[in-house]
Amino acid sequence: MSFKSKTEQSTRSFVSKKWTFLLCLSCFCAGILFTNRMVAVPESKAIMRITAVEAEKLKLISEGCNLKAKGEKHVSKDIIGEVFKTHHAIQTLDKTISNLEMELAAARAAQESLHGGSSLSEDVSRVGSSRKRKYLMVIGINTAFSSRKRRDSVRATWMPQGEKRKKLEDEKGIIVRFVIGHSATSGGILDRAIEAEDKKHGDFLRLQDHVEGYLELSAKTKIYFATAVALWDADFYVKVDDDVHVNIATLGETLVRHRKKPRVYIGCMKSGPVLSQKGVRYHEPEHWKFGETGNKYFRHATGQLYAISKDLASYISINRHVLHKYANEDVSLGSWFIGLDVEHIDDRRLCCGTPPDCEWKAQAGNICVASFDWTCSGICRSADRIKEVHRRCGEGETALWSATF
């Protein structure tokens, strides 16, 4: 009983140990499996969180770079814009200074001219008040002592008189004057005749430093522009001969189109032959300067009528003592602008023929600015015929007073 009892006890002990070992092994495996599952999931989540954080950081960095690039680009545009504005401001300032220097020099030249002689008609007494007013244009009608009939014919046609001339100045900003110098005998009968005519009409611009003579037209042109720019502050200065018919309103409308342009020279541009033969009309004593015989002049406006802007008139006034004079006045003017940045405007309405040419153009709606006969370098027998030209080619008085410049 005792041995059997021990044997059974031993067997139960053995079985118990075996099952205990299996149980332990099972627990160990289960522990490993559970541990792996518990560890694997957090690591995956952690990696995902790290990846998400890093992606967010990369996104922020990328956006920051893009913002920086955009900012740098915006700043670059701003800098370029500021540089452009500064450059434009410097150019504007430089132009303003240049214009002021030119006006100062012109004013000094005008002062010397005005104080260098006697009175320049009634206009000199109004220099101060006139300079305060801005005019559209000054029309200087070139005339001579012997041209009284021509002047009267102009007064009777296209040049307003009396209160109408004053109205033309006040309302339209247009000055019209006959331009003449003095005789070789100062205070002689010729000068006294002009003084009496001026007292009656008040429409002369007397040039103090100029002695009249056909061969002195280039000098007269210089002095005219210098005197006119000193007396009146205008956008344009026009020279026309006293045997040419002019439509003032059409002239004003033509010039206004070029008002904003600097250094403008307007007329019927031509390039005639340089005449070297003595004794012929328009002979050029300095023909050798233009090259071989048969050469032509440079482009310049025909002398019957042309217009220049204020800065060119001021240039002539400032440099009149050193500007060379050729035999022909229109050639001289063209030569003064060579080498300058000047815009030459060729407008054929400034050199129409007399009827029927100007009449046909007027009927077609293309009214001429100026009309004359090329064969006579003006209207042939103008004192007798200009009224006919005015009747057939004139723009009509209402055109002038209804025009807006």
Side-chain angles (χ1 to χ4, degrees):
M1 289 288 295
S2 177
F3 176 77
K4 187 178 179 180
S5 175
K6 287 180 180 179
T7 301
E8 291 176 356
Q9 187 177 1
S10 176
T11 302
R12 283 194 297 267
S13 177
F14 175 76
V15 172
S16 179
K17 288 180 180 178
K18 183 177 179 180
W19 283 105
T20 300
F21 175 74
L22 290 173
L23 182 61
C24 290
L25 183 61
S26 299
C27 291
F28 178 72
C29 292
I32 291 173
L33 180 61
F34 179 77
T35 302
N36 287 339
R37 288 176 63 86
M38 292 295 291
V39 172
V41 173
E43 284 181 355
S44 176
K45 291 182 178 178
I47 290 171
M48 289 176 66
R49 280 199 298 270
I50 291 170
T51 305
V53 170
E54 289 181 350
E56 189 68 23
K57 288 182 178 179
L58 290 172
K59 183 179 179 182
L60 290 173
I61 292 170
S62 176
E63 289 178 353
C65 291
N66 290 336
L67 289 172
K68 185 177 180 182
K70 289 179 180 178
E72 289 178 352
K73 188 176 181 181
H74 182 68
V75 170
S76 177
K77 287 183 177 179
D78 288 344
I79 292 173
I80 293 173
E82 290 299 323
V83 170
F84 177 78
K85 289 179 181 178
T86 303
H87 180 66
H88 180 70
I90 291 172
Q91 285 185 325
T92 304
L93 182 61
D94 183 61
K95 183 178 179 180
T96 302
I97 292 172
S98 177
N99 288 338
L100 288 174
E101 288 177 345
M102 186 171 289
E103 288 184 7
L104 179 60
R108 287 174 178 170
Q111 189 175 18
E112 292 175 2
S113 176
L114 295 177
H115 291 291
S118 58
S119 173
L120 290 180
S121 182
E122 63 178 6
D123 294 316
V124 177
S125 61
R126 299 200 302 264
V127 172
S129 59
S130 297
R131 299 279 306 175
K132 296 177 183 178
R133 165 76 192 273
K134 183 72 174 181
Y135 294 91
L136 170 62
M137 60 179 169
V138 176
I139 303 175
I141 307 172
N142 181 42
T143 191
F145 289 113
S146 60
S147 299
R148 175 63 188 264
K149 289 185 178 180
R150 287 185 180 181
R151 290 192 293 272
D152 286 340
S153 68
V154 169
R155 293 184 181 113
T157 53
W158 62 267
M159 180 181 180
Q161 292 296 296
E163 290 300 317
K164 288 185 178 180
R165 183 166 61 84
K166 188 177 184 302
K167 181 181 177 182
L168 183 67
E169 297 176 6
D170 296 338
E171 295 185 8
K172 304 300 180 181
I174 299 174
I175 303 291
V176 186
R177 295 289 188 276
F178 288 106
V179 181
I180 195 168
H182 292 268
S183 65
T185 306
S186 181
I189 187 172
L190 296 177
D191 288 322
R192 292 199 301 272
I194 292 296
E195 290 169 4
E197 189 178 344
D198 189 26
K199 187 175 181 180
K200 178 180 179 181
H201 298 283
D203 55 6
F204 278 92
L205 172 61
R206 301 297 301 275
L207 304 179
Q208 297 303 314
D209 299 328
H210 177 68
V211 176
E212 285 294 318
Y214 180 78
L215 297 178
E216 297 297 327
L217 287 179
S218 294
K220 184 176 183 178
T221 301
K222 282 200 297 185
I223 298 172
Y224 158 62
F225 284 123
T227 306
V229 80
L231 290 173
W232 298 288
D233 181 13
D235 292 320
F236 296 97
Y237 297 84
V238 181
K239 177 263 175 181
V240 60
D241 290 338
D242 61 4
D243 55 355
V244 174
H245 179 268
V246 179
N247 284 317
I248 298 178
T250 308
L251 174 60
E253 291 168 355
T254 301
L255 297 182
V256 163
R257 299 186 192 125
H258 309 289
R259 178 181 262 164
K260 295 183 179 180
K261 299 177 182 178
R263 299 176 300 280
V264 176
Y265 175 32
I266 307 171
C268 288
M269 299 297 164
K270 65 175 185 177
S271 181
V274 180
L275 302 178
S276 58
Q277 184 179 353
K278 291 183 179 181
V280 299
R281 192 179 185 186
Y282 306 127
H283 166 64
E284 180 56 71
E286 298 180 89
H287 57 86
W288 62 274
K289 288 185 177 180
F290 298 92
E292 302 300 324
T293 302
N295 282 357
K296 292 185 176 182
Y297 287 112
F298 40 80
R299 287 285 175 184
H300 61 278
T302 185
Q304 283 80 4
L305 186 148
Y306 50 74
I308 61 175
S309 54
K310 180 186 176 181
D311 39 14
L312 292 182
S314 298
Y315 171 80
I316 293 173
S317 176
I318 295 167
N319 300 283
R320 67 184 186 276
H321 298 299
V322 295
L323 293 176
H324 185 69
K325 302 187 297 293
Y326 288 100
N328 300 302
E329 156 253 337
D330 52 355
V331 173
S332 295
L333 183 73
S335 71
W336 299 337
F337 301 148
I338 290 180
L340 301 183
D341 187 12
V342 174
E343 181 177 357
H344 290 58
I345 297 175
D346 182 22
D347 192 332
R348 309 315 289 184
R349 292 182 305 157
L350 274 65
C351 55
C352 295
T354 55
D357 179 52
C358 59
E359 187 177 20
W360 289 342
K361 290 176 181 177
Q363 291 172 354
N366 188 25
I367 298 176
C368 293
V369 173
S371 302
F372 58 89
D373 297 308
W374 282 103
T375 55
C376 298
S377 296
I379 298 174
C380 298
R381 296 180 290 105
S382 64
D384 300 323
R385 293 184 58 236
I386 196 170
K387 289 184 179 180
E388 178 194 356
V389 176
H390 184 68
R391 179 179 60 83
R392 297 173 64 179
C393 301
E395 61 196 354
E397 188 175 357
T398 56
L400 178 58
W401 303 118
S402 62
T404 55
F405 305 115

